[in-house]
Amino acid sequence: MIRHVLIPTDGSESARGAARRALEFAAALGARATGLHVIVPFHAYTYRSQVMLSYHRALPEDSQAAYEATTTACARRILDEFEGLAEEAGVRCDTLVLQHDEPFRAILDAAQRKRCDLIAMASAGRSGISGVLLGNEAHKVLTHGKLPVLVFR
């Protein structure tokens, strides 16, 4: 029986549509939902080393802070919209923001930690060379996970 659905969202149009449909599905089952947004951590391999050199002192010191503030605000906006969709669907929900270099691993970890019975998510629908090079988080979740996954296109 499905009682708890994890619904990852990146805020894209396809993810919003998938979230709406996943919440309708959860409502029909009487399940609750968790909306998840994954932020890829800030990486600046050369930036920090250059700041330490005296001749680059003019570089802004707060790039990481600005990145984190911007991505956190964006995540909040995306998850506020998710909460609105859940309310419209009559689904009890909570939300979660995680940072991880590999979003699919964050999705799988969150599903396990939250004791979800199902992951429902959008597929970006990449094909051809972009699908091979960029991958697809839904495909990675399907490949590496143990839970059932409902993919919306």
Side-chain angles (χ1 to χ4, degrees), residues 34-54:
T34 295
L36 170 66
H37 182 75
V38 180
I39 298 171
V40 176
F42 178 85
H43 293 287
Y45 300 107
T46 58
Y47 173 77
R48 291 287 179 213
S49 63
Q50 292 299 316
V51 168
M52 291 188 292
L53 298 172
S54 61

Side-chain angles (χ1 to χ4, degrees), residues 17-90:
R20 180 175 281 111
R21 291 166 48 199
L23 287 163
E24 290 168 357
F25 184 68
L29 297 173
R32 64 188 175 104
T34 295
L36 170 66
H37 182 75
V38 180
I39 298 171
V40 176
F42 178 85
H43 293 287
Y45 300 107
T46 58
Y47 173 77
R48 291 287 179 213
S49 63
Q50 292 299 316
V51 168
M52 291 188 292
L53 298 172
S54 61
Y55 58 88
H56 280 321
R57 296 252 183 239
L59 289 172
E61 297 275 349
D62 65 342
S63 290
Q64 182 171 358
Y67 173 82
E68 289 175 0
T70 301
T71 55
T72 299
C74 181
R76 188 68 263 152
R77 191 171 53 252
I78 290 167
L79 293 175
D80 284 348
E81 181 179 4
F82 178 87
E83 289 173 337
L85 292 172
E87 187 175 338
E88 285 175 22

Side-chain angles (χ1 to χ4, degrees), residues 1-6 29 31-32 110-112 114-120 146-150:
M1 177 167 219
I2 296 172
R3 289 186 222 104
H4 191 178
V5 181
L6 180 70
L29 297 173
R32 64 188 175 104
Q112 182 178 16
K114 292 292 219 168
R115 297 188 175 148
C116 295
D117 307 300
L118 174 74
I119 300 170
K146 294 184 170 87
L147 284 178
V149 180
L150 178 59

Side-chain angles (χ1 to χ4, degrees), residues 85-97:
L85 292 172
E87 187 175 338
E88 285 175 22
V91 175
R92 246 179 351 114
C93 81
D94 62 345
T95 59
L96 181 63
V97 176

